Amino acid sequence: MDKLVILDFGGQYSHLISRRIRDIGVYSEVLPSDVSKDELIKIKDLKGIILSGGAASVYDDDAPKCNKSIFGIGIPILGICYGHQLIAYLNGGEVALGESGEYGITELRLLDRGRRAGLLGKNMLLNSLNTSEKVWMNHCDIVRKLPEGYSITASTDHSPIAAFENGDKQIYGVQFHPEVTHTEHGNRILENFALDICNAKRDWKTSNIIANITAEIKQKIASRKVILGLSGGVDSSTSALLVSRVIGENLTAVYVDTGLMRYRETEFIQQIFSKSSLKLRVIKAHERFFNALRGVTDPEEKRKIIGKTFIDVFDEVAEGEAADVLVQGTIYSDRIESGITKHSSRIKSHHNVGGLPDNMKLEIYEPLRDLYKDEVRRLAMELGLPDEIITRHVFPGPGLGIRILGEVTPEKADIVRRASFIVEDELRKAGLYERVWMGFAVLLPIKSVGIQGDARSYKYPVVVRIIESKDAMTTNFAKLPYEILEAISTRITNEIHEVNRVVYDISNKPPATMEWE
Ligand code: XMP
């Protein structure tokens, strides 16, 4: 499959670039910025390279750089923002601190069309754009002088060299961000690059993704006994179907009821999967998890303990089944936030990635590791999973354990489980469940005074968090009508005896994260 790679210079949008390229239908991957020329050449069907933005200045001592030799391998290159400056800098041009920063939507003026056509031929990056375009800028430094062989293709008031190209070498730069939606025709620019300049084929389609993963499953685990951690979410359910279609009875799906799962989850899982040919084992392990978590308050420690207890359970099941592989539904964003890429910091040890113990007996296999959430949902649809699974909100691996701040107890798990169910139920009733990324409750380890039935009460507050997101990397809190929030709040305080106050979380990500721990 034709492929583009994005070299990550630490910009917050590196993955957004990759998403946009995949949305065009071309496979793309994010790699560390200092990947060597030899490694790049070895990548099969590599059609183009994009240098991402980044927070550094090219003159900083520790500025991330790419290997200069990549400009000579004959594969088209597009630099975005910092990447644009780096191309100029590494090839003999000049980058300077602009008189002021340039942030937000800016008018981009393209060089006269006639001149461009003559100058650039048919494979222009800015082909079929208007003479004046709205673009989104976010930078301080500017390219002041171009290297030899490069020409300007567009300017803004602040950045005379806002876009450039070297037609012979097929190297392009844009100071603005075509990947963000504020750049009106950003998609067209990325299409021009991926399809016309790189000549990449649009093979990244659901049917091809399924065929590729199926081939990989055949090659890696076809003749082995395998267990799979089934959580009831779309990722693990999709992994289960993909693997089971290839290896049938050799797969045992294991659903562990940790005591930290959603409301009536075990019944739900049994009901959904009893109709399929999947071999399912339900392991009740409440006590084991609560015992392991007793007295623990640190979020990362909770994740690690929950991860380890899961693995202990899986090890035992695997022994009984004589299995030596554990399939997990890890997806791309899980790996990014657990720090797989060089410039991304480890935000949280998502239990199915970073929280695993070092001395694992089972080999881990993650068939969906390179997919973004919406891609997994498309796969799930194609595989015929029921809507209840496909449209389900994400539920974290450590479950309610990270939605109870402070020590986790069975009583607290019960409170937060019922509160979360009410949030989801009210969202469903209002027809909003599928329009938000997640809606859930968090229990705080404090109490406050209230008045209920004319008497003073001193009880827990519950936080309601309802958020919108496209890919889990960034989030906005959902601006819901007050009536819906009021219905949620009233139901929680009426139906859950231990709660007398409900607060709505109005933070975005960043600076907050979606979960509270
Ligand atoms: P955060 O809180 O990191 O959440 O903004 C992003 C998405 O990831 C989910 N999440 C987890 N999933 N194990 C998981 O499998 C974890 O430890 C974990 N922590 C967060 C979270 O629910 C959200 O959808």
Side-chain angles (χ1 to χ4, degrees), residues 235-289:
D235 304 340
S236 63
S237 304
T238 304
S239 306
L241 283 205
L242 283 167
V243 174
S244 124
R245 278 162 33 132
V246 180
I247 71 170
E249 282 281 300
N250 275 348
L251 171 72
T252 306
V254 186
Y255 166 77
V256 185
D257 185 349
T258 59
L260 299 167
M261 308 305 282
R262 291 183 252 216
Y263 188 68
R264 298 203 177 133
E265 183 69 2
T266 308
E267 293 90 321
F268 173 80
I269 299 274
Q270 282 169 324
Q271 178 230 320
I272 294 278
F273 290 99
S274 63
K275 294 174 209 145
S276 76
S277 58
L278 193 68
K279 194 164 103 194
L280 174 68
R281 279 190 61 184
V282 174
I283 310 281
K284 295 222 185 270
H286 298 69
E287 276 186 28
R288 194 164 173 172
F289 278 84

Side-chain angles (χ1 to χ4, degrees), residues 44-102:
K44 204 166 160 274
D45 300 320
L46 178 63
K47 294 290 180 182
I49 300 169
I50 298 182
L51 312 186
S52 83
S57 159
V58 292
Y59 294 112
D60 291 346
D61 287 342
D62 53 357
K65 304 258 163 61
C66 57
N67 201 310
K68 204 176 151 185
S69 57
I70 71 166
F71 297 107
I73 57 180
I75 292 177
I77 296 182
L78 167 65
I80 294 177
C81 195
Y82 177 80
H84 162 90
Q85 295 160 10
L86 195 67
I87 294 175
Y89 173 75
L90 291 177
N91 289 287
E94 211 181 291
V95 174
L97 188 65
E99 278 165 27
S100 59
E102 191 176 28

Side-chain angles (χ1 to χ4, degrees), residues 303 337 348 350-351 394 396-398 437-438 509 513-515:
R303 273 198 171 72
E337 297 225 323
K348 299 175 183 181
H350 282 201
H351 96 272
V394 177
W437 176 267
M438 286 201 299
K509 168 185 178 177
T513 52
M514 295 187 176
E515 305 284 350

Side-chain angles (χ1 to χ4, degrees), residues 222-419:
S223 53
R224 297 167 74 175
K225 288 266 192 185
V226 175
I227 62 166
L228 173 143
L230 185 75
S231 73
V234 66
D235 304 340
S236 63
S237 304
T238 304
S239 306
L241 283 205
L242 283 167
V243 174
S244 124
R245 278 162 33 132
V246 180
I247 71 170
E249 282 281 300
N250 275 348
L251 171 72
T252 306
V254 186
Y255 166 77
V256 185
D257 185 349
T258 59
L260 299 167
M261 308 305 282
R262 291 183 252 216
Y263 188 68
R264 298 203 177 133
E265 183 69 2
T266 308
E267 293 90 321
F268 173 80
I269 299 274
Q270 282 169 324
Q271 178 230 320
I272 294 278
F273 290 99
S274 63
K275 294 174 209 145
S276 76
S277 58
L278 193 68
K279 194 164 103 194
L280 174 68
R281 279 190 61 184
V282 174
I283 310 281
K284 295 222 185 270
H286 298 69
E287 276 186 28
R288 194 164 173 172
F289 278 84
F290 286 121
N291 285 340
L293 287 166
R294 187 167 302 132
V296 181
T297 54
D298 178 74
E300 283 295 89
E301 213 181 316
K302 283 188 203 172
R303 273 198 171 72
K304 296 233 158 78
I305 290 172
I306 296 172
K308 160 130 190 6
T309 314
F310 261 112
I311 294 300
D312 288 347
V313 173
F314 289 145
D315 273 342
E316 289 160 18
V317 177
E319 212 172 305
E321 299 285 335
D324 61 354
V325 181
L326 170 66
V327 174
Q328 298 216 103
T330 311
I331 65 168
Y332 208 9
S333 55
D334 300 333
R335 297 198 299 135
I336 300 159
E337 297 225 323
S338 294
I340 51 157
T341 59
K342 187 164 173 169
H343 299 293
S344 68
S345 60
R346 175 180 285 199
I347 314 280
K348 299 175 183 181
S349 321
H350 282 201
H351 96 272
N352 49 2
V353 199
L356 293 180
D358 295 332
N359 54 345
M360 293 266 309
K361 287 192 219 137
L362 290 162
E363 185 182 320
I364 301 281
Y365 174 56
E366 297 167 327
L368 308 180
R369 63 190 176 278
D370 293 326
L371 302 188
Y372 292 101
K373 195 80 187 184
D374 50 350
E375 294 173 329
V376 176
R377 289 207 163 105
R378 283 202 290 272
L379 243 63
M381 231 178 279
E382 183 93 5
L383 292 169
L385 270 166
D387 273 358
E388 293 137 285
I389 295 271
I390 297 172
T391 59
R392 245 184 155 191
H393 288 174
V394 177
F395 188 68
L400 303 176
I402 54 162
R403 292 182 179 171
I404 298 165
L405 273 72
E407 189 182 3
V408 176
T409 64
E411 297 72 33
K412 287 184 173 177
D414 203 44
I415 296 173
V416 80
R417 179 171 19 247
R418 284 187 291 146

